[in-house]
Amino acid sequence: MKKFSCWIEYIVYISIAWFLNLIPFSLSLKAGEILGNLLFLFDRKHREITLTNLGRAFKNGKSEKEIFEIGKACYRNIGRSFVEFSRLLRNNREYIKKYITIEGLEKYIKAKEKGRGVLYLTGHCGNWELMSLTQALRGYPVNIVARPIDNPYLSRRVEEIRTRYGNSIIEKKRAMRGILRCLEEDGTIGILLDQNVIKKEGVFVDFFGEPACTNKGLALIALKTGTPVLPAFIHYLGEGRHRIEIGEEVVLEKSGDPNMDVVSNTAKFTKIIEEHIRKYPEEWLWLHRRWKTRPDS
């Protein structure tokens, strides 16, 4: 039954994606935003998580009405991103070239010249799936750390899209060995560092004024290998257009105490992500339980 339900789920998705590729781009984007509005209306569980998270993050800075509107906009971003990703089933490289720009690519090239690979620091902001595809299409492929989707049929199709133009997937469950091997070959790694982890995998650092258990892997790797860490985020500009912004290399904290350095650099990385979210709060994935793991009392 599980295999059958996965197959039905896959057929439904492919049918929707096929339809979205038939209608005009502007209309499909509107359909995505309507889908987001409907999800916000009917997905009570994740709507409550979203509004609770927003309330915790902006408890002293935004009214209940503002928080509610940001929550709705977050869902519209999810719906629109679903449409944009689904339209990539047609291998639409012309869409990427026309609608997505990169600012700061010269910073990436400069970091790459060091010959130690590059670690991209990013999060679930905007349509993050488009970043690696856009860079790969310009001749600079990325190795993406990701967990397979539970539905194996959907997982294979999503992986096929993600690995276009030379990109590769490093399975999240056994990522460390794959990351180190990739960096030895001067590769580029994209790591999303904005999700909750269990205590043994992370350290607690400040995120919007509250301790958040954050994966310590990026700090460990950067300190061990000396690989440059570059922030990179994507921002929606309207009418289907996006801008990828690559920031300056992050200067690592090195006190001589390995444990302290892991914590301080993880905090530094998290602060960079928070600053981007504060600029574009409607584009972050607020329905994730970011503060789920709590410190020992």
Side-chain angles (χ1 to χ4, degrees), residues 2-4 6-7 10 151-158:
K2 183 178 180 181
K3 184 176 180 180
F4 179 73
C6 285
W7 177 250
Y10 173 75
N151 183 319
Y153 306 111
L154 279 175
S155 186
R156 282 196 291 271
R157 183 53 65 95
V158 168

Side-chain angles (χ1 to χ4, degrees), residues 247-266:
E248 298 287 348
E249 180 180 342
V250 180
V251 179
L252 298 182
E253 304 286 341
K254 295 180 180 179
S255 68
D257 182 328
N259 294 327
M260 185 181 296
D261 289 345
V262 167
V263 175
S264 61
N265 283 294
T266 302

Side-chain angles (χ1 to χ4, degrees), residues 32-177:
E33 292 182 351
I34 292 171
L35 173 63
N37 285 334
L38 290 173
L39 285 173
F40 184 76
L41 181 64
F42 292 109
D43 182 12
R44 180 179 177 181
K45 175 185 175 181
H46 291 101
R47 181 181 70 239
E48 289 180 355
I49 292 172
T50 296
L51 296 178
T52 299
N53 283 343
L54 281 163
R56 293 173 76 167
F58 298 109
K59 50 184 173 289
N60 298 319
K62 296 189 183 296
S63 66
E64 286 188 16
K65 182 179 179 181
E66 287 175 312
I67 285 171
F68 188 81
E69 291 302 321
I70 292 171
K72 282 181 67 177
C74 166
Y75 270 76
R76 285 196 296 274
N77 178 72
I78 292 170
R80 189 174 57 243
S81 297
F82 168 80
V83 166
E84 290 170 330
F85 189 79
S86 297
R87 288 179 65 94
L88 292 174
L89 287 173
R90 293 179 59 183
N91 195 13
N92 197 338
R93 62 174 63 213
E94 292 306 315
Y95 156 70
I96 294 174
K97 289 179 179 178
K98 181 178 179 181
Y99 285 92
I100 308 172
T101 58
I102 302 180
E103 289 187 1
L105 191 58
E106 71 282 354
K107 298 168 188 171
Y108 166 79
I109 295 171
K110 180 181 177 181
K112 196 79 163 60
E113 289 173 350
K114 295 183 178 183
R116 299 174 182 170
V118 173
L119 290 162
Y120 269 138
L121 162 67
T122 191
H124 294 81
C125 304
N127 192 344
W128 64 89
E129 295 279 7
L130 298 176
M131 290 199 293
S132 58
L133 289 169
T134 304
Q135 177 159 322
L137 194 55
R138 284 161 172 77
Y140 304 102
V142 180
N143 296 268
I144 309 152
V145 179
R147 184 182 73 83
I149 295 172
D150 293 333
N151 183 319
Y153 306 111
L154 279 175
S155 186
R156 282 196 291 271
R157 183 53 65 95
V158 168
E159 185 171 322
E160 183 273 322
I161 295 173
R162 285 174 171 169
T163 55
R164 283 186 189 152
Y165 321 129
N167 288 337
S168 299
I169 300 289
I170 297 175
E171 190 174 335
K172 191 172 184 179
K173 193 173 182 179
R174 295 179 291 273
M176 186 64 77
R177 182 179 297 178

